[in-house]
Every structure is written in C-alpha cells, then in structure tokens.
Amino acid sequence: NISIDDLMVTKAGNDCFDISGGRYEIIKATLRDCVDKGISAGESSHLTISELDLVSANIGISSKDYSKVDISKAEISSVSKCVEVKQKKQEFGGASLVVGYLKCSGMVEVDEHSVFKKGL
C-alpha cells in the first residue's frame, strides 16, 4: 500500500510510472517525456489517481492482467495511444480502467477480456 501526494517524472527512459501488484493512490501525477508508457499497471495491481497530467509517451495509460485503474481526471497529449486495457499474460485475465474525465485525442484499445469506462 503506497500513497503519493505529488508524483513528478520527466524524461524517463522507459515507463514513467510502472507498478505490479499492490495498492497505490496518487493525488496528482505530472508525467513528461515517457519513452514507452506514462502509466503501466499490471499483475493484479490497483491504482487510484485523482489528477493525471501527461505529455509525450507512446501509450498514455496501460492497465493489464487483472489490474484495476481508477482516475478522476486525466489530460493526456502527444501520445499515439491514449489508453490500452488488456490481458497480456496467459496466466492472468483482463483488466479495467475507469476515468471520470478524459481529455485525449489518440486511440483507445480494449480487448474482449477487459473493461474501459469514462465519464462516470
């Protein structure tokens, strides 16, 4: 169980914030220049973010393999894919991502095992 009030990551060589397992709560996340993913949640992790501001990544938010991601407000720019929600590893299942407000103009990818909801 980890709580973070203000997360700031700039120029990460791979993912800006990558978690596996556990429970995480972030009040505000400011992520810039992520080479791969802005947020990567996998392997049964549970992540709650109140406010996400992300600029420049390949993928904005990735929820995989039984992970649950809940975000109140996300503003994402300069990404090819805003969101992906999927089963990646055979020994796990789908994932979920719920976003109250999402501002992003890229693609959204959700596989048949997973759930994506926005505007709740």
Side-chain angles (χ1 to χ4, degrees):
N1 293 330
I2 296 176
S3 295
I4 300 169
D5 288 334
D6 194 2
L7 174 68
M8 298 179 71
V9 179
T10 304
K11 296 185 180 178
N14 193 12
D15 300 336
C16 277
F17 189 70
D18 186 354
I19 57 172
S20 293
R23 297 180 69 84
Y24 305 82
E25 179 182 7
I26 301 171
I27 302 303
K28 182 175 182 178
T30 305
L31 311 176
R32 301 282 185 269
D33 302 317
C34 313
V35 170
D36 192 12
K37 298 171 190 76
I39 301 283
S40 180
E43 300 181 4
S44 302
S45 54
H46 187 189
L47 172 63
T48 303
I49 301 175
S50 296
E51 184 178 339
L52 171 64
D53 179 17
L54 168 61
V55 177
S56 188
N58 183 34
I59 298 169
I61 306 163
S62 178
S63 182
K64 309 173 290 289
D65 300 331
Y66 289 145
S67 291
K68 295 181 181 182
V69 177
D70 297 300
I71 301 175
S72 298
K73 178 182 177 185
E75 294 190 7
I76 302 171
S77 61
S78 299
V79 297
S80 54
K81 191 183 300 182
C82 295
V83 166
E84 72 174 8
V85 190
K86 65 182 187 177
Q87 176 183 352
K88 182 178 177 182
K89 297 179 181 177
Q90 184 176 350
E91 63 269 28
F92 292 94
S96 73
L97 172 61
V98 176
V99 181
Y101 170 82
L102 175 63
K103 180 180 179 182
C104 187
S105 59
M107 297 174 14
V108 171
E109 183 179 289
V110 183
D111 75 8
E112 66 275 9
H113 307 289
S114 302
V115 175
F116 172 64
K117 295 179 184 179
K118 72 175 186 173
L120 300 174

